[in-house]
Structure formats: C-alpha cells, structure tokens
Amino acid sequence: TRCSRDWSSDVCSSDLDAFAEFLGPEPLLEPFVREQSTLIPPIIHQIHTQSRLKKDWSYELRRRFESWDKVNPDNLHLIWDEDQASQFVQFYFNQRIRDAYARLPRVIHKTDMLRYLLLYYYGGYYADSDTWCYRPTKEWAMEYTSCNATFIVGIEWDWEQTRKGREKMEIVQWSMASAPRHPILRAVINMVAERSLSWPMEDLLNVDNVLEFAGPLAWTDRIQSFLQLHGRDMNEMHIIGKNEAKLFPGGVLLLPVSAFNWPQEAFEHS
C-alpha cells in the first residue's frame, strides 16, 4: 500500500484551481500558521459545555471520560467547556472565523464547529462526550501505522429512511482523528463559516438544518469532495466501507462500519 503524505500530490494539474477553491482561505491568524504535519499527536479532545470540573459531572459522564484516560494513559486528555472554547477561538483564529463562531445560535452548532477548529490547530483525536473508549488511539490506524495516516474517519450507515435523498452511508462525525492543518478540516471550517455568516438566523435556528449545516451531512460532503479531487469516487467508499480499512490519497484512512460501533439499540457510541 502506497503511503500518501502530500495533500495535493495526487491532484491533476488541471484540478489545482479546484483544490485551492476547495480549501478556502487560511482560518488561522498569521502568527499561528505552521507547517503541515504528517503526524497525529497523542491528544484527546472532548467537549462538555457546562463544566470541565469533575465535581460537576454526573456519574455516567465521569465514567465515560475516565474510559479514555484508562485506555490511553500516555495521551493528553483535554475537556473543553464553553469559556475555554471561546478563548481558544478568539486567540488563534482570524476575524472571519471569530465572527462566524460568535453568530452560531445553538450549542450543537458551536460544538460541531469547535471540533473542526481544535483538530485543525492542535491535531489529535476527537470524541463526543457520550462515547466510551475500548481501543487505544494508537491502534486506530490499524495496519497503516507505518504509513502515517494523517486523517482517520469511520463509516456509519443511516438505517432510517435516506435523508433528503442522500446516500445512506455517512462519515462518522462524533469520533475522528487528524494531523494539524489537514486540508479537509480547512475546507469544512470555511464552509461552516460561510454558512454561519450568510444564512438567515431563521435558518440557523431551524433544528431541521443541524445535520446539513455543520453536522454529519456537511462533514461527509467535504470528505467526498476531497477524495473526488484525488480521482476516487463514492462507489469505492461504499465497497470498502462495509468490510475493511482503506488508505486514500492525502493520508485519509477510512475505517469500516465495525471500527466505530454504534449499537442500534443504544444511544451511546463506542
């Protein structure tokens, strides 16, 4: 298996303009723009907007958070509350991103955008607060560890009716990993910022738009677009998504449905 390290190395020269358009402008402030890394750092990010203090957590929430520490004793585990998140965005990102984040009216909008911003700047592993960790993060790359996979995501299937005529396959958005400044994250951040600044507030407040705005549907669209720019199509993703992991150009490692298991009878991810 060829290990791909250059974000644009497999993009045809005729598509380089499309690749630049896909990326959008650099969201970080100039002093914080660093070289693109090919390593995913051992940092776990989770978000709990109410409080990051253990004394304020429920017993079940504490157990979930502690499962990540127990399975990954060598990782730095960061739990972000609302105040920390706002300070992070204000300090590292440009005015356009700050304005877009501040305009978001719902907590779910902010947590969706925040996960992309955290991984874009710091890199590492992200998981929702209702997840349990059963496999160490260092094993997420599976047999592709030597290839330095720079972006790790998994497949899930929508067992309900297809939403808005979309494919039933989606890319998991509640757990993911990335090296800092991966182009997919840059593209997602710019897409979310553009929508935040241009959509009427009525549309932003509409709960029916949450998945489309910055959630799994938006996430899946950007990943698909990145792979299509590298000459890969959805048919290949469908075939491998059910069965095995696959390393795509740009260091994108796509894990099968079994990797991030979401039991149908439960609300908790694992």
Side-chain angles (χ1 to χ4, degrees), residues 161-177:
Q161 293 183 349
T162 305
R163 301 186 187 101
K164 298 183 179 180
R166 299 298 187 99
E167 298 286 350
K168 290 185 178 181
M169 188 195 78
E170 292 178 355
I171 307 295
V172 167
Q173 188 238 15
W174 41 263
S175 193
M176 63 189 82

Side-chain angles (χ1 to χ4, degrees), residues 94-104 190-200 204 213:
N94 63 34
Q95 190 62 52
R96 174 173 171 267
I97 301 302
R98 296 199 296 265
D99 290 345
Y101 185 81
R103 189 169 187 262
L104 297 176
N190 278 307
M191 178 190 66
V192 174
E194 190 278 330
R195 290 178 176 180
S196 174
L197 296 172
S198 63
W199 281 21
L204 291 176
F213 175 76

Side-chain angles (χ1 to χ4, degrees), residues 44-110:
I44 297 168
H45 302 275
Q46 296 190 278
I47 300 169
H48 185 56
T49 55
Q50 285 83 7
S51 175
R52 63 187 179 89
L53 301 177
K54 288 186 177 182
K55 66 180 181 64
D56 298 327
W57 300 343
S58 69
Y59 173 71
E60 282 300 313
L61 180 64
R62 185 182 303 113
R63 288 183 62 214
R64 294 188 191 109
F65 283 152
E66 289 175 349
S67 75
W68 288 88
D69 292 326
K70 182 178 180 179
V71 178
N72 304 282
D74 298 326
N75 285 26
L76 175 63
H77 187 188
L78 301 177
I79 298 172
W80 297 82
D81 63 19
E82 186 173 3
D83 290 340
Q84 287 179 311
S86 296
Q87 292 171 15
F88 164 72
V89 175
Q90 288 293 319
F91 190 78
Y92 290 110
F93 291 89
N94 63 34
Q95 190 62 52
R96 174 173 171 267
I97 301 302
R98 296 199 296 265
D99 290 345
Y101 185 81
R103 189 169 187 262
L104 297 176
R106 292 185 177 276
V107 172
I108 184 61
H109 289 146
K110 289 185 181 293

